[in-house]
Amino acid sequence: MTATDTATSRAARLLGRPFDINGLSLRNRIAMAPMTREFSPDGVPGADVAEYYARRAAGGVGLIVTEGTYVDHDSAGGSHRVPRFHGEAALAGWQRVAEAVHAAGGRIVPQLWHIGTDRDQGQGPVPGAPSVGPSGLGLDGNAKGHTMTGADIDDVIRAFADSAAAAERIGFDGVELHGAHGYLIDQFLWSRTNRRTDGYGGDVASRTRFAAEIVEAVRAAVSPSFPVIFRLSQWKAYAFDAKLAADPAELETLLAPLAAAGVDAFHASTRRYWLPEFEGDDLNLAGWVKKLTGKATLSVGSVGLDKEFVGPQGFAKESASTGIDLLLDRMERDEFDVIAVGRALLADPEWANKALTDRVGEATPYNAGMLRTLV
């Protein structure tokens, strides 16, 4: 057996293993990470969006997590070109996307999204709607937007549940709830943006209540076997050193209510998957989540590339392709279950098949110019 044969068999053996999330069978351990593209005029995904995702499924991806999609709340989003997951036209478009991905052999879940006070007043599909958050604060801790009332909270919870029910109805394979990167759910989780003194604020467990109630409502709105994935992160957009949890004990306190509410898998977002999350142990964030909850986990962060996509120096203009030996080492010890790939898959729809056959050296390198087209 040659060295190439050995490497090929290792990649195929580790990344090519099937995996199951609450009855959803994935053909391998490679997922497509959600990436905002803004190619859906008036929030409606068209044939080009369906073809974009289907190409990745045909290229070997086991699970596709769509770009973030706005739930049905006037303040949910800030762009007319980000897709929404409500309304007859948008849902018809998304149904065609799911059908195209299934025809190519893949599985797909929409990422349901509310951006909270990241939205600037006057932006988005409903310009007159107020920007809302748990305490009327932006990510910098300064005043921004409207502090959500109990009625506001109920409306948003209902919007997530309605979109999840729609996802099951039109043929998707599960849903992912966007609880990361400083958007609305994460704003409730983070102490800098959640200064509430009612039952939705205070200590770590109380700050988790909003997220847990969304999970509970989603779980009640869909079938018991319909997978619910929850995305979380420590870092926030422009707050790269932010921490929801300073140590594993705090992380467990945050995760336990979400797991109990019905999360089937956690998608732990980091900018570099190979970095340890806490001192004294090599586990990354997804590894800790799996250890603490026993739930399925997805990891993510600059897979196959030599630069993270965003950091203190701004957005990376280009990133060279790299090998995946470090990834295979972590997969071999089952630190996490599925690896999500972002820019490398944006650059090369065949990245998954190339990784499975030890041909990542042939993958097309990423550059920021690729964001201007949907290919």
Side-chain angles (χ1 to χ4, degrees):
M1 181 178 292
T2 67
T4 299
D5 291 333
T6 301
T8 300
S9 63
R10 185 175 186 235
R13 174 171 56 84
L14 295 171
L15 294 177
R17 294 173 293 168
F19 189 68
D20 183 281
I21 300 176
N22 189 21
L24 174 62
S25 297
L26 307 180
R27 59 185 171 181
N28 59 43
R29 303 299 182 100
I30 301 173
M32 180 177 182
M35 292 174 282
T36 298
R37 300 308 315 276
E38 296 193 82
F39 281 89
S40 297
D42 297 320
V44 178
D48 55 346
V49 175
E51 292 163 2
Y52 164 76
Y53 286 117
R55 276 191 291 274
R56 274 72 190 173
V61 173
L63 176 67
I64 289 172
V65 183
T66 73
E67 62 206 282
T69 67
Y70 297 149
V71 296
D72 189 9
H73 187 258
D74 287 352
S75 302
S79 170
H80 292 275
R81 295 183 59 83
V82 166
R84 61 180 185 263
F85 213 86
H86 61 90
E88 184 177 347
L91 292 177
W94 278 120
Q95 184 169 6
R96 290 189 285 270
V97 172
E99 290 169 350
V101 167
H102 290 156
R107 298 289 180 264
I108 183 168
V109 301
Q111 186 187 73
L112 306 182
W113 192 23
H114 192 304
I115 71 173
T117 55
D118 189 65
R119 174 180 174 271
D120 291 329
Q121 190 69 32
Q123 286 186 338
V126 187
S131 176
V132 300
S135 302
L137 298 172
L139 293 186
D140 57 5
N142 293 323
K144 184 179 181 182
H146 164 72
T147 298
M148 293 172 70
T149 65
D152 294 329
I153 288 172
D154 291 343
D155 287 345
V156 171
I157 291 172
R158 183 165 48 249
F160 273 93
D162 288 348
S163 286
E168 184 173 27
R169 185 172 66 249
I170 65 176
F172 276 75
D173 299 299
V175 292
E176 177 171 287
L177 310 177
H178 197 343
H181 303 165
Y183 299 116
L184 181 63
I185 295 175
D186 197 21
Q187 288 165 19
F188 272 84
L189 296 175
W190 193 27
S191 59
R192 180 184 292 182
T193 46
N194 185 345
R195 307 286 179 82
R196 299 178 73 97
T197 57
D198 61 4
Y200 292 95
D203 61 14
V204 175
S206 298
R207 295 198 306 271
T208 306
R209 178 181 170 185
F210 177 65
E213 288 186 357
I214 288 176
V215 174
E216 289 174 348
V218 166
R219 185 78 276 164
V222 300
S223 301
S225 60
F226 193 67
V228 176
I229 303 168
F230 188 94
R231 198 176 208 211
L232 76 155
S233 70
Q234 297 263 43
W235 70 277
K236 322 297 171 202
Y238 310 109
F240 305 111
D241 296 328
K243 296 287 185 183
L244 294 178
D247 54 45
E250 282 194 347
L251 183 60
E252 185 171 23
T253 300
L254 184 150
L255 295 171
L258 301 176
V263 169
D264 296 301
F266 287 96
H267 188 174
S269 176
T270 56
R271 291 185 298 127
R272 289 161 287 186
Y273 76 89
W274 57 88
L275 294 183
E277 188 57 40
F278 301 116
E279 290 186 7
D281 197 295
D282 191 44
L283 289 176
N284 73 2
L285 181 59
W288 274 109
V289 171
K290 182 177 180 178
K291 180 177 180 178
L292 294 171
T293 68
K295 297 286 187 176
T297 55
L298 293 78
S299 188
V300 70
S302 303
V303 178
L305 298 174
D306 68 345
K307 296 183 183 70
E308 65 259 37
F309 75 100
V310 64
Q313 304 306 313
F315 286 88
K317 296 292 188 282
E318 58 185 33
S319 296
S321 296
T322 65
I324 56 171
D325 286 344
L326 292 176
L327 171 62
L328 297 180
D329 290 345
R330 290 176 181 265
M331 296 296 290
E332 193 155 36
R333 59 179 181 253
D334 288 323
E335 180 176 343
F336 41 80
D337 301 299
V338 175
I339 188 67
V341 182
R343 291 166 299 146
L345 263 172
L346 188 152
D348 192 337
E350 290 286 332
W351 188 92
N353 280 336
K354 290 175 181 178
L356 289 164
T357 55
D358 195 41
R359 295 183 293 124
V360 289
E362 301 174 13
T364 304
Y366 168 83
N367 69 77
M370 294 171 172
L371 297 173
R372 294 192 289 269
T373 59
L374 198 70
V375 296

